Amino acid sequence: TLNTVSSTAQFQLSFNGGTTPVLPTNVPPSGRFFNASNEQQLITNTNGNTNGTFQIRFSPTGLPQNNSQLSAVIQSTAPANAGDPSAPVGGSVQEALENLKLADGVTPAIGKGNVLVSGPDGGPYVVTFTGSFANRDIPTGALTVTVNPGSPVQGPPPAYSVTTTTNGGISGNPTGSLE
C-alpha cells in the first residue's frame, strides 16, 4: 500500500505488516535493489606465440549441439575491433564474432551491435556482450577457440584460453531498503 503523507512530497510503503518510515519522493537510487551487468569474457594468448591463426566458435547455450560455425580465420596479432586503422577489412576479432553464423549457415550467432571487443593487437581481448545479449549470463564455454598452427619452422603455435571476467545478468536484493 502506498500512502501519501502530506502535500510535501513524502510517502510511506506498507507491505506484509511492515511500514517504512516517511520518505521523500526524491530518494536517490542506491543500486541496492537491482544491478544489471553485461557479460565480459577474456580471450588470452597464454603462451604469447604468434606463429599461427585462430578461429572462434560461439554457442549461445554453451552446449556443443548449438555451436555456430567456425569464424573466419583470425591472425594471432589481429586488432580487437575494426576501429583500429591498422585492421585489415574483416580481420578484427569483433568482426569475426559479429559475422559468425549458426550451424544453418544463415542465422547470425551473435550479429552486429551485440558484441564489443577491446584490447591491444594480439590480445588479450575483452569481449563484452551487448545489444540482444545485454544483461544476460553467457554460459561458460560459450566461446571456444580453435588454433591453426603455422609453420613448425617458425616455432610453436599460440595457445588460447577463454575466461569469464564479469558474469552478465540482472541480480537483485529482494530485501533492500530505500534507507
Side-chain angles (χ1 to χ4, degrees):
T1 307
L2 176 62
N3 300 318
T4 54
V5 176
S6 68
S7 61
T8 60
Q10 296 179 334
F11 69 99
Q12 246 181 336
L13 295 174
S14 299
F15 183 74
N16 279 347
T19 303
T20 66
V22 175
L23 300 167
T25 56
N26 63 347
V27 176
S30 66
R32 292 188 289 176
F33 289 106
F34 297 98
N35 184 32
S37 302
N38 288 343
E39 178 93 9
Q40 287 190 322
Q41 295 188 8
L42 186 68
I43 300 174
T44 306
N45 180 342
T46 58
N47 65 10
N49 295 337
T50 59
N51 179 32
T53 59
F54 67 101
Q55 292 174 282
I56 301 173
R57 192 181 298 270
F58 175 71
S59 170
T61 63
L63 300 173
Q65 65 265 31
N66 296 325
N67 277 349
S68 69
Q69 296 179 341
L70 280 171
S71 71
V73 173
I74 306 165
Q75 296 298 316
S76 59
T77 56
N81 59 60
D84 182 334
S86 68
V89 174
S92 73
V93 175
Q94 181 170 323
E95 288 174 295
L97 288 170
E98 288 176 334
N99 292 322
L100 277 173
K101 303 289 185 214
L102 291 178
D104 65 13
V106 177
T107 308
I110 296 176
K112 294 193 185 313
N114 296 318
V115 66
L116 295 173
V117 181
S118 60
D121 292 0
Y125 304 108
V126 177
V127 178
T128 303
F129 291 90
T130 61
S132 63
F133 290 102
N135 304 323
R136 288 180 46 194
D137 186 35
I138 306 298
T140 301
L143 283 180
T144 55
V145 175
T146 300
V147 173
N148 306 309
S151 166
V153 175
Q154 296 184 4
Y160 289 91
S161 70
V162 180
T163 55
T164 299
T165 57
T166 303
N167 284 316
I170 299 174
S171 58
N173 179 354
T175 60
S177 107
L178 292 173
E179 301 175 277

